[in-house]
Amino acid sequence: NAGVMQNPRHLVRRRGQEARLRCSPMKGHSHVYWYRQLPEEGLKFMVYLQKENIIDESGMPKERFSAEFPKEGPSILRIQQVVRGDSAAYFCASSPQGAERAFFGQGTRLTVV
Amino acid sequence: GQNIDQPTEMTATEGAIVQINCTYQTSGFNGLFWYQQHAGEAPTFLSYNVLDGLEEKGRFSSFLSRSKGYSYLLLKELQMKDSASYLCAVSRAAGNKLTFGGGTRVLVKP
């Protein structure tokens, strides 16, 4: 059983470009969470999704950021018109329905130049 | 809202014991988690406490007091590989998001 898979591991984008971060949850997990970690800081919640539904997006910036978790395929975190401040590690976690323990992926390190 | 506090940094000697404290204030509580995170890597699960008391798992133990909004992670027989950040996180409801503290960077010296 593969763990939570995120790709790419590293992503470099120029200011103004779009960044797409992918997360495949563990087999059997239907809950996906995205967190952002700025250098030398803790993880900050962004969004919580179940298949085809956004459950809680209270941590998402109002503009440029969106997330989806389609019926088929990975969850996608999309950042449009990236700025230098978007440079961070973005972690995805998944959990089975009703479980308390979330497993984290290796993260995508986004660098905006 | 939620407020989670833990020390920024701690230093200890190989073979010693270190206790990392975490205090929290939250409306609704569904458990407290400890994660270990090595630099540049994913957080890995260490422990989950939902009831008061001490949970022991090998060299690592975690304690929770819900009435005091307090937890600690105890690392015994420290090894060099234990040098990492330790993240305290609280869940407010089942299946819900985790709110993390800023993490405690532990440096183990020979």
Side-chain angles (χ1 to χ4, degrees):
Chain A
N1 187 9
V4 179
M5 303 300 291
Q6 289 189 248
N7 70 82
R9 290 290 307 276
H10 299 275
L11 182 62
V12 179
R13 283 287 177 266
R14 296 187 186 280
R15 280 178 295 170
Q17 290 184 319
E18 178 180 286
R20 279 187 181 238
L21 288 61
R22 293 175 187 77
C23 169
S24 296
M26 286 181 70
K27 188 176 180 181
H29 287 194
S30 59
H31 297 214
V32 166
Y33 309 82
W34 285 93
Y35 292 85
R36 177 163 64 176
Q37 187 174 36
L38 295 169
E40 307 299 322
E41 292 189 14
L43 282 83
K44 301 285 188 225
F45 167 78
M46 298 182 75
V47 62
Y48 162 36
L49 310 105
Q50 294 180 22
K51 284 284 186 182
E52 299 184 279
N53 285 306
I54 296 174
I55 307 302
D56 181 352
E57 55 181 348
S58 57
M60 287 278 270
K62 293 286 183 278
E63 296 176 349
R64 304 189 295 108
F65 285 71
S66 62
E68 62 177 10
F69 188 16
K71 189 176 179 181
E72 302 290 337
S75 175
I76 306 284
L77 179 68
R78 183 179 174 212
I79 311 172
Q80 294 177 290
Q81 299 173 335
V82 295
V83 300
R84 288 233 171 94
D86 297 333
S87 295
Y90 292 82
F91 288 97
C92 168
S94 73
S95 67
Q97 188 172 4
E100 310 312 318
R101 175 177 161 179
F103 293 83
F104 281 82
Q106 292 293 311
T108 294
R109 276 146 191 86
L110 172 66
T111 303
V112 179
V113 298
Chain B
Q2 292 178 276
N3 197 29
I4 300 173
D5 290 310
Q6 50 182 130
T8 307
E9 222 170 75
M10 301 181 76
T11 302
T13 306
E14 195 175 12
I17 298 173
V18 71
Q19 177 174 316
I20 307 169
N21 296 324
C22 173
T23 57
Y24 64 90
Q25 295 170 311
T26 182
S27 52
F29 178 81
N30 194 58
L32 188 140
F33 297 75
W34 284 96
Y35 283 84
Q36 181 191 60
Q37 186 180 27
H38 284 99
E41 296 186 11
T44 54
F45 172 85
L46 290 178
S47 68
Y48 168 59
N49 294 66
V50 65
L51 299 176
D52 289 352
L54 186 68
E55 297 271 346
E56 296 188 80
K57 201 184 291 184
R59 294 190 299 114
F60 293 2
S61 304
S62 57
F63 171 84
L64 176 67
S65 168
R66 288 172 297 171
S67 62
K68 294 181 180 174
Y70 168 69
S71 172
Y72 68 72
L73 179 71
L74 196 69
L75 286 63
K76 293 182 262 189
E77 299 167 21
L78 279 171
Q79 301 175 8
M80 298 300 291
K81 66 178 182 180
D82 297 330
S83 292
S85 286
Y86 292 85
L87 313 177
C88 173
V90 171
S91 171
R92 289 174 63 188
N96 207 338
K97 63 192 180 190
L98 296 177
T99 300
F100 284 85
T104 299
R105 212 162 30 244
V106 171
L107 177 62
V108 180
K109 293 186 172 178

